[in-house]
Amino acid sequence: MGIALDGLVSGLKTSELIDALMDVQAIPRNLMSAKSDDKKFIITQLQTLNTSLQDLAAKAKKAASGESIAQLSAASSSEAVKVALRSGASAVTADIVVDRLAQKHTVVTAASTQWPDSPPTLTLENAAGERVEVTADSSSMADIARAINKAGAGISATVVSAGTDADGNPLQRLQLIATESGADGSFRVLRANGDDVATAPGAAVVATGSDAQVRLWAGTAAEQVITSSKNTFTDLFTGVDVTVSAVSTEPVTVSAAADDAASTKAAAEFIKQVASLLTRIDNGSKATVGATAGETTTLGVFTGDSTIRALRQSLADAIQHPIDGTSPSSIGISIDRYGVLTIDETKFAAALADDPTAVTTMFTGIAERVQQTTETYSDKYDGLLTARITGQQSEVDSLGKQLERWDLRLEQRRATLERTYARMETMLSQMQSQSSYLTSQLSSLPSYDTGSK
């Protein structure tokens, strides 16, 4: 950084003078910078609005499919049978009888101080007859268990203490459990001589791997047996999962029934999301006029934006225009004279209870129009609002390049001024030196007395 020495000869505050001149020179540049900042703020607000539109488009697509309003509640007549609903579930009621629960195949070996074979080699055989041979590091029960667990054959081995033998030596067993329940999880563990460890004296098959089993319409000509390797029957009915935890002797009623309260809540949440978006647009489009003469009028970030104005009108039209000649206000959805969108949940619930088909048709029709509008404006490739954001960004980029050129010109201008004033100081210094020299020369000249003799 250079050192500025103001007016050593002239006495002028040249740094302040140059700064003042540069402030005047920079006025157009500063105005351009302020314009760029304003556009960046607008872009941020447009991007936030576009994100909200994309979220609304996704919600509208779901609502247009009827999924939002077709809310169901699950029920079961037994605590031992749980019903869970997933996407695509339909209303259904049926009786089931739980004949059997799924269980994991479990074997306990005979008690011994160590594995009876040397080398300690075992063969693991799954329900499909596929075999894996393993050899443990030693005949200790811990090493046998470790070898089985590392084999990845779907069997989990645990060492269990089994007291002591007649000589006081500790006895141990292996508890072998299938990692998966169901008949397909059954297995055999064979010793080196081919004997099944479960058939040895003192050993036992504690539980045989089996599938859970339920019957639909038990006792009728339509009786249907369904099995599952787990205690959860996925898609027992479309979108309906049933989990059983106990055998039943009497039929258990399971159902998925329409839930009008949940449907009303879902519809209200969707309409309120649209209303919130409309309110945001309205607030961003307001112009605040000063209370007294001379006060500044503040424009909203969306004020005068034709794209935003058209978006607002399109959303309002999508909500309030009739569906098949019937006004949405008939089910409690309306826009008042101030443009405020509301939903009367009591009126909507009553209409839904009275004619669910008509209300569903009306609501999905509204949602479909909202989806079309939001996608038209927010599509990431050719959406109208996306194009608006892209246009604003192009202007900001252009202004940025102009600002770079301005900064270069101002830098050059400051350098020119600094050189000019430096030369001025040099010339003044030279003139001062010459003046001092002449003064000294004149003072050294001899003086003559011009008085009388």
Side-chain angles (χ1 to χ4, degrees):
M1 178 182 290
I3 300 177
L5 300 175
D6 284 357
L8 291 176
V9 179
S10 66
L12 296 173
K13 295 182 178 180
T14 53
S15 293
E16 293 183 5
L17 184 59
I18 291 173
D19 288 341
L21 291 171
M22 291 306 302
D23 287 342
V24 175
Q25 293 281 328
I27 288 175
R29 188 266 180 207
N30 294 336
L31 291 174
M32 188 177 296
S33 179
K35 182 178 180 181
S36 177
D37 291 341
D38 287 343
K39 288 190 175 296
K40 288 178 181 178
F41 178 71
I42 292 173
I43 289 173
T44 299
Q45 297 302 310
L46 290 174
Q47 288 173 333
T48 301
L49 179 62
N50 204 36
T51 299
S52 297
L53 270 181
Q54 290 170 346
D55 179 64
L56 179 58
K59 299 286 181 59
K61 183 176 181 180
K62 182 178 179 180
S65 70
E67 185 176 342
S68 294
I69 197 172
Q71 296 292 315
L72 302 174
S73 60
S76 169
S77 63
S78 171
E79 288 294 324
V81 178
K82 303 294 184 183
V83 182
L85 306 180
R86 291 184 291 104
S87 177
S90 302
V92 65
T93 299
D95 290 338
I96 66 172
V97 174
V98 183
D99 294 324
R100 187 174 63 236
L101 298 181
Q103 59 182 2
K104 294 181 178 181
H105 194 78
T106 305
V107 172
V108 175
T109 66
S112 61
T113 56
Q114 63 178 11
W115 196 252
D117 300 325
S118 182
T121 300
L122 306 87
T123 300
L124 312 179
E125 181 181 279
N126 64 19
E130 299 168 336
R131 293 188 172 191
V132 176
E133 187 174 281
V134 299
T135 301
D137 293 337
S138 74
S139 294
S140 74
M141 295 299 238
D143 280 345
I144 297 295
R146 191 174 298 111
I148 292 174
N149 290 331
K150 288 174 62 177
I155 303 172
S156 174
T158 306
V159 178
V160 181
S161 178
T164 59
D165 62 12
D167 296 327
N169 298 314
L171 297 173
Q172 294 177 320
R173 298 175 185 270
L174 288 182
Q175 178 176 268
L176 308 172
I177 302 178
T179 55
E180 297 291 336
S181 61
D184 289 342
S186 298
F187 61 84
R188 291 199 305 160
V189 176
L190 308 177
R191 290 176 52 190
N193 61 7
D195 290 344
D196 189 337
V197 299
T199 63
V205 176
V206 177
T208 300
S210 59
D211 293 339
Q213 178 178 301
V214 299
R215 283 178 292 146
L216 298 175
W217 313 295
T220 71
E223 180 176 282
Q224 182 176 340
V225 176
I226 301 173
T227 60
S228 170
S229 62
K230 301 180 183 300
N231 287 322
T232 295
F233 291 80
T234 303
D235 273 338
L236 184 63
F237 306 100
T238 303
V240 180
D241 299 340
V242 175
T243 300
V244 297
S245 58
V247 172
S248 65
T249 56
E250 297 295 329
V252 176
T253 301
V254 295
S255 65
D259 188 336
D260 287 352
S263 296
T264 299
K265 181 180 179 181
E269 288 176 351
F270 176 74
I271 295 300
K272 288 175 182 178
Q273 185 173 355
V274 179
S276 176
L277 194 60
L278 293 177
T279 300
R280 184 194 301 182
I281 293 174
D282 291 342
N283 291 338
S285 302
K286 290 179 180 177
T288 305
V289 181
T292 59
E295 288 190 11
T296 303
T297 297
T298 303
L299 300 180
V301 68
F302 301 140
T303 302
D305 192 317
S306 60
T307 300
I308 301 301
R309 185 166 58 250
L311 166 62
R312 207 269 183 216
Q313 186 60 51
S314 295
L315 281 175
D317 291 345
I319 292 292
Q320 65 184 349
H321 280 185
I323 298 288
D324 295 332
T326 303
S327 170
S329 62
S330 64
I331 60 173
I333 300 173
S334 61
I335 296 179
D336 65 18
R337 59 176 179 162
Y338 301 107
V340 178
L341 170 63
T342 58
I343 178 171
D344 184 335
E345 294 184 41
T346 300
K347 187 174 183 179
F348 185 94
L352 186 62
D354 181 59
D355 192 344
T357 300
V359 173
T360 298
T361 300
M362 173 76 71
F363 182 77
T364 54
I366 292 172
E368 184 177 354
R369 293 192 305 209
V370 171
Q371 179 190 353
Q372 292 173 350
T373 298
T374 50
E375 289 179 348
T376 297
Y377 280 84
S378 69
D379 185 86
K380 63 181 180 179
Y381 297 111
D382 56 7
L384 298 178
L385 187 56
T386 304
R388 177 81 172 117
I389 293 170
T390 302
Q392 289 286 313
Q393 187 60 57
S394 296
E395 290 188 40
V396 169
D397 293 342
S398 176
L399 288 171
K401 294 177 181 178
Q402 294 180 57
L403 287 171
E404 289 177 0
R405 293 194 291 270
W406 260 105
D407 289 339
L408 179 60
R409 287 199 296 270
L410 291 173
E411 183 179 342
Q412 294 172 341
R413 180 57 179 160
R414 177 178 286 275
T416 299
L417 289 172
E418 288 174 346
R419 287 195 300 270
T420 299
Y421 279 97
R423 284 198 300 269
M424 182 190 74
E425 292 292 335
T426 300
M427 294 176 65
L428 287 175
S429 177
Q430 291 173 350
M431 293 173 63
Q432 190 178 57
S433 296
Q434 291 174 358
S435 175
S436 297
Y437 173 76
L438 291 173
T439 300
S440 66
Q441 290 298 311
L442 290 172
S443 63
S444 65
L445 292 175
S447 60
Y448 297 96
D449 187 3
T450 59
S452 60
K453 294 182 178 181

